[in-house]
Amino acid sequence: VLSGCGVYDGTEIHEASAILVHLSRGGAEVQMYAPDVPQMHVIDHSKGQPAEAESRNVLVESARIARGKIASLAKLTTADHDAVIFPGGFGAAKNLSTFAVDGKDCKVNREVERVLKDFHKAGKPIGLCCISPLLAAKVLSGAEVTVGHEEEEGGKWPYAGTAGAIKELGGKHCVKETAFSLTPFYEAHVDTKNKVVTTPAFMCETELHNIFDGIGAMVKNVLKLTGK
């Protein structure tokens, strides 16, 4: 499930690409979706500033990542899929929810909420990375997720405050290390009760290959939980 195209106002493109590569390697068939709604705003990624008087549609922008093969989120059903995965990017906090504006009092897009609740009720796994675990924390009360560390540690974890917000939203935050001491990839947290799998991804300032491998751990666990 995508939220636009570009880290500051949509889906984090490297995360989406990594998820697709790992799903492909795992032999999964993939269908991409996005809500057919306007973006909260448009960011000029070369400046990191809002592009005034410009508007874009989340589904239309997400189609850039999907190479055109995308459908409205309203068409996503549990009957057609074994699992659902949400990449990160600020779009999760701006377009899939209002977290960027409302914090712990945020609302989740009704189709996103429906999908999360439907997959949870069906006992089918849900994967999320970067900031998107906040969606599960808000919708699935008591879900265990990780966004990495709970302290900034000199800028290594610049979005560490999100961990506190996860708790305020009703979720349980689990601290995960940047990497295992002897292996070069991120940890993924598996909430076996709720079948929710999360990994920090770009919540940490680290090398791209670490993020790629951490997402791989998340995808691997999601596929494992499908039982196929």
Side-chain angles (χ1 to χ4, degrees):
V1 176
L2 304 178
S3 62
C5 183
V7 58
Y8 298 127
D9 58 12
T11 301
E12 211 300 318
I13 298 169
H14 295 295
E15 291 177 7
S17 180
I19 290 169
L20 291 169
V21 169
H22 288 296
L23 284 171
S24 176
R25 185 169 287 153
E29 294 183 21
V30 178
Q31 171 63 53
M32 282 172 270
Y33 297 89
D36 188 2
V37 296
Q39 289 186 187
M40 174 185 144
H41 60 186
V42 178
I43 297 292
D44 180 338
H45 281 60
S46 69
K47 300 176 181 177
Q49 298 293 327
E52 301 297 339
E54 186 173 349
S55 63
R56 298 187 185 186
N57 177 278
V58 174
L59 177 62
V60 172
E61 291 303 295
S62 297
R64 294 174 178 270
I65 298 174
R67 297 171 62 86
K69 298 178 181 179
I70 196 165
S72 170
L73 188 58
K75 297 181 179 179
L76 173 54
T77 66
T78 57
D80 295 330
H81 301 283
D82 298 311
V84 64
I85 297 180
F86 291 79
F90 282 95
K94 294 179 176 180
N95 304 325
L96 303 188
S97 73
T98 63
F99 180 80
V101 176
D102 300 323
K104 65 181 179 64
D105 298 318
C106 68
K107 295 181 180 179
V108 175
N109 172 278
R110 63 184 180 86
E111 289 296 341
V112 172
E113 182 172 3
R114 175 189 65 81
V115 167
L116 288 169
K117 287 183 175 179
D118 284 355
F119 273 81
H120 183 256
K121 183 178 180 180
K124 295 185 175 183
I126 300 166
L128 311 103
C129 64
C130 197
I131 198 169
S132 67
L134 71 87
L135 301 171
K138 176 67 175 180
V139 174
L140 308 176
S141 181
E144 295 180 359
V145 301
T146 187
V147 290
H149 279 205
E150 298 181 355
E151 302 293 335
E152 291 189 15
E153 300 178 21
K156 186 174 183 179
W157 295 89
Y159 309 108
T162 306
I166 292 290
K167 298 174 184 177
E168 291 182 320
L169 289 169
K172 297 179 181 178
H173 186 259
C174 301
V175 174
K176 290 294 176 181
E177 298 301 320
T178 308
F180 292 116
S181 58
L182 298 177
T183 52
F185 55 85
Y186 265 29
E187 291 182 276
H189 180 74
V190 182
D191 177 349
T192 54
K193 178 183 177 181
N194 293 297
K195 291 191 176 181
V196 173
V197 187
T198 51
T199 194
F202 277 103
M203 297 299 279
C204 181
E205 289 292 333
T206 187
E207 292 81 5
L208 182 59
H209 66 274
N210 286 333
I211 292 164
F212 182 88
D213 289 344
I215 288 173
M218 180 266 285
V219 170
K220 182 178 179 179
N221 279 287
V222 167
L223 295 178
K224 183 178 179 180
L225 285 172
T226 67
K228 295 188 176 183

